Amino acid sequence: KENPPTAAEHERILREIESTDTNCIGPTLRSVYDGQEHGLFMEKLDVRIRNHDREIEKMCNHHFQGFVDSITELLKVRGEAQKLKSQVTETNRHLQDDGKELMGSMEELQKCRVQQRNMASTIDKLSHCLPVLEMYSRLQEQMRAKRYYPALRTLEQLEHTCLPRAGQYRFCSIMAENSPKLRTQIRDTAMTQLRDFLESIRKHSDKIGETAIRQVRGHGFMRAGPDSGGQGGSPASEQDSGILDVGDEEEEEEEDEVPGAQDLVDFSPVYCCLHIYTVLGLRDVFENYYRKQRRKQARLVLQPHSNMHETLEGYRRYFNQIAGFFVVEDHVLHTTQGLVNRAYVEELWELALSKLIAALRTHSSYCDNPDLVLDLKNLIVLFADTLQGFGFPVSQLFDMLLEMREQYGEILLKRWNVTFRQVLDQDNFSPIPVSTEEEYKHYTSQFPVQDPELDKLPFPKKLPFSQFVPKVYSQLKEFIYACLKYSEDLHLSSTEVDDMIRKSTNLLLTRTLSHCLQYAIKKKNVGLAELVQVIINTTHLEQSCHFLEEFISNITNVPPDSANATKLYGTSTFKDARHAAEAEIYTNLNAKIDQFLQLADYDWMAPVPGGGSLEASDYLMDLIAFLNSTFSVFTNLPGKVAQTACMSACKHISTSLTQLLLDPEVRQISLGALHQLNADVKECEGFARAGPVAGFQGDTLLLAFSDLRQLLELFTLWDWSTYLADYGKATCKYLRVNPHTALALLEKMKETSRKNNVFAQFRKTDRDRQKLIDAIIKQLRNLIAQHHT
């Protein structure tokens, strides 16, 4: 019999078995077998099962009738269920038959829907990929067409817009990887094109400058402004290549312009490269490179050729290159935004001016051709006007042209020096004969003859001057025209031009012509007749100077009497030349006289002649005859000149004869020799009294011989008592006899007496004469000591 604890435990286990979920029954059963009384538990379990069976049986008995009723009902329902089943089966069959078609449609619809989704997805993907492909295709096309700026813009759009939208595709990755390479290629190609452009403008500078200068010479130069050809800012991607056009097409049709720089050179590489480097963020690099290269080119352009000065073409090429350089820079300045700025261009222009002016100073200094200098000046003016049209300051060039004006003047003076010398060398120094009125008018048209008396004379007649006068006058006018040519286009006032011409003409007269006249006068073999003609010629040229004044005034429109007008003081040239010719006449005349005097052969030891008068020496008679014939041709000279010449000749004869007496070589002179000299002086005095030249008052000409006359009379009359007694008085008979001269002559006579005494020392008269001479010499020395210490 089980004990109470065990019975209670078994009871608990049974309750758990009845109440616990079968999934958890395991632990409950294990507790049964864990104990020692599992047999008792089995018995107890059987009792519990029988109890439950009895309860079930009771419940079944209680509900059995209802169960039977239910079975009966169920059997009834089964028949109906069979009917329903067959109906459902039939309906299902019909439904299946009918649904097959619908299912097919549904499957097709499903497939369509899938296709639709796929297509929509594809279209969406393509909508992002196609722009990339199109853009890349356009990029390739632009690269092939060498339109690099739009290519760069396309590449930028491709990278920043299209590729991110397209998604992760292999072709997108390849494109992205190629982008930097394309950029580098575009940058390098653009730089290559820029280098080609720089080389091109270096070659075309000459042509560009020539064109610009030609336009200034013609109708004025049309510069492309900031908006010309749409090149001021960034060009449209499809419109940035080709030659840059200036203005609208309508304007071009209206004005038939000479092509400008932009028509001769394609500037698109500059704009393209500038835009490309700007997009790449390398604008500073590009600007620095461009400016550096152009500075180098500027230095090359400004370096003149060594033989530039030899031809005008050399200068023209030089100016064309420089003008072309700055026309290009000006165009770039006005068609880009800051690639070059005004300060940079002005700095280059300052450099160019200094180099250009230095080169011109050097090369023009070699030039000795006035026509070349004149052409060069015109070139410089055109060049300056061209650059001024582009806004460059050119005052320094005009200042240099004024410097060159001095050089031009010097070259003109040299040329006219040759011309004047040729005129003088070819002149026959004879009055111009004119046989007809036509001839007369020919000469008077060349030279302003103001002589009413000459007009009245019948033909044939002679103009007073030689060919030299009209030729020189014509050359003076030619010189003035040459000066005027240089002064044109220098933007000078009439007064400045007038002043310049007058100053140059003064130089021509006072320096060049003056030297030529002096050369002609001093030239060997110039006779007295030629010198006379020079005086007549220069007198007429001097009188013509006021006509030159009027001539200058007529071409400059500045009256000669205006306050600022420079006067032609060159008239002094003709006065000086005339005076030189006059002096040369006197010198020449004296030289001729000297030639005659060299023939003088006095016997200085001649005895005193016996009775009868002495004849004048032969040489002196020839001299007087020469003087008479010479002074006969002096009638055309101004009276004063002829008189001076005559007086000069007489004084020279007198002085020369006196020098013969006092010549140290002549150690002894006899009284007989003095008598012969006295006879010659009387012949000279006869010539003077005869009045070889009109205009002398009384015996003025005789005064030339008064010194010698008084000296000879003192010795021939031996009138020493009078001389010594009256010396120093105004009324002295021998006032003009110098005691030194008298003493020197006495010494020579003393020598003669001493020599005679060797042979006749016992002759009393000779001894007495010797003592007398010694006494007079002593007195003369005392007199000199008293009056000349």
Side-chain angles (χ1 to χ4, degrees), residues 448 450 473 477 480-481 498 501-502 505 543-561 565-568:
Q450 300 292 308
Y473 189 78
K477 292 207 292 187
I480 290 165
Y481 277 128
D498 184 82
I501 290 174
R502 286 172 186 271
T505 308
Q543 292 166 355
S544 73
C545 274
H546 76 275
F547 290 105
L548 276 182
E549 292 255 15
E550 289 177 6
F551 176 71
I552 293 171
S553 295
N554 287 337
I555 62 174
T556 61
N557 294 318
V558 177
D561 54 355
T566 304
K567 300 301 174 191
L568 279 187

Side-chain angles (χ1 to χ4, degrees), residues 182-238:
L182 285 172
R183 265 199 180 77
T184 304
Q185 182 186 344
I186 289 170
R187 188 190 69 203
D188 293 346
T189 308
M191 185 53 76
T192 302
Q193 286 187 341
L194 179 72
R195 289 193 187 102
D196 293 343
F197 165 79
L198 289 170
E199 181 64 22
S200 168
I201 55 173
R202 192 181 68 78
K203 289 178 181 175
H204 285 83
S205 261
D206 190 359
K207 186 70 177 170
I208 295 166
E210 181 190 348
T211 304
I213 290 171
R214 195 163 74 240
Q215 286 175 323
V216 167
R217 187 189 288 123
H219 310 294
F221 192 72
M222 188 174 94
R223 177 171 67 194
D227 300 322
S228 298
Q231 296 296 330
S234 299
S237 61
E238 303 296 329

Side-chain angles (χ1 to χ4, degrees), residues 720-732:
W720 289 102
S721 57
T722 306
Y723 179 75
L724 293 168
D726 293 347
Y727 184 80
K729 296 177 182 176
T731 56
C732 178

